[in-house]
Amino acid sequence: MRSALILSARGAGDPVMPLATADPAPGRCRRHVRPPAAWWRALILACGLAAAPASRAALPEIALAVGGHKLVVEVAASDPARAQGLMHRRMLPENRGMLFVFRETALHAMWMMNTYVPLSVAFLDEKGVIINIEDMQPHTQDTHPAARPAKYALEVNQGWFRKRGIKPGARIEGLDLAPPPR
């Protein structure tokens, strides 16, 4: 008859878990190793961070210029990035924004659901010419459409265009650096 020796470790709040079962026969040892609960919690947290929404993932950034004024924009070129936009952001630094690159030139519209920062959006044609500029209020579901088919939309802090005297007809430079839509 054989007897077994059970070795165990105990973490805070963890039940007793066998680490190894030693067989009295020389040279024979069977291992039954289970990671402690803290290890599982860390793994679940890591997986959750990897699956974080697009707002948390770093988007590509490019520099744009219009009328001698420069700004740095994040580029939303994928469906998830365009859907997320600037939602859930509590602030947007001056001279920063988001460029939406659409798959097709069409009558696009923007809204401000779950967006905390008042924004201005400029709709642009394929050449980067501003079609129209709309001011948008936070947490509203009002739609703000392009006046005619647009390829891009550029969101910045509300009043950014007005403070710099930028109006429809002005051309945004640097769009050729944006990744293609996907």
Side-chain angles (χ1 to χ4, degrees):
M1 203 192 297
R2 292 184 173 177
S3 63
L5 172 64
I6 307 254
L7 304 173
S8 66
R10 190 174 177 125
D14 292 338
V16 174
M17 296 178 287
L19 290 180
T21 304
D23 192 317
R28 297 184 66 187
C29 182
R30 292 183 306 218
R31 295 185 62 72
H32 301 283
V33 179
R34 285 193 333 187
W39 187 88
W40 286 110
R41 285 189 288 269
L43 179 63
I44 291 168
L45 176 63
C47 290
L49 291 176
S55 67
R56 308 281 189 271
L59 295 174
E61 293 184 347
I62 62 171
L64 299 177
V66 56
H69 302 280
K70 296 180 181 185
L71 68 156
V72 175
V73 297
E74 295 174 68
V75 181
S78 67
D79 287 336
R82 285 189 295 270
Q84 181 73 33
L86 291 170
M87 284 185 184
H88 308 292
R89 308 255 184 123
R90 298 292 179 160
M91 59 93 59
L92 182 63
E94 191 67 16
N95 299 318
R96 300 281 302 191
M98 182 169 281
L99 177 69
F100 295 79
V101 182
F102 301 110
R103 288 181 196 207
E104 301 163 356
T105 300
L107 289 172
H108 299 286
M110 309 299 269
W111 66 338
M112 295 286 285
M113 191 167 108
N114 298 321
T115 307
Y116 292 89
V117 182
L119 299 172
S120 293
V121 60
F123 291 97
L124 318 171
D125 67 14
E126 316 75 35
K127 296 177 184 170
V129 176
I130 298 175
I131 298 167
N132 63 305
I133 300 169
E134 299 287 324
D135 286 341
M136 304 184 294
Q137 298 305 316
H139 297 292
T140 59
Q141 294 182 19
D142 301 337
T143 56
H144 303 274
R148 63 178 196 269
K151 178 67 176 173
Y152 306 94
L154 175 59
E155 288 183 342
V156 293
N157 282 308
Q158 192 171 89
W160 191 90
F161 296 107
R162 184 175 52 257
K163 288 176 194 171
R164 289 157 181 82
I166 299 167
K167 298 179 179 178
R171 186 173 181 275
I172 306 288
E173 298 171 24
L175 294 174
D176 55 321
L177 301 173
R182 48 183 207 278

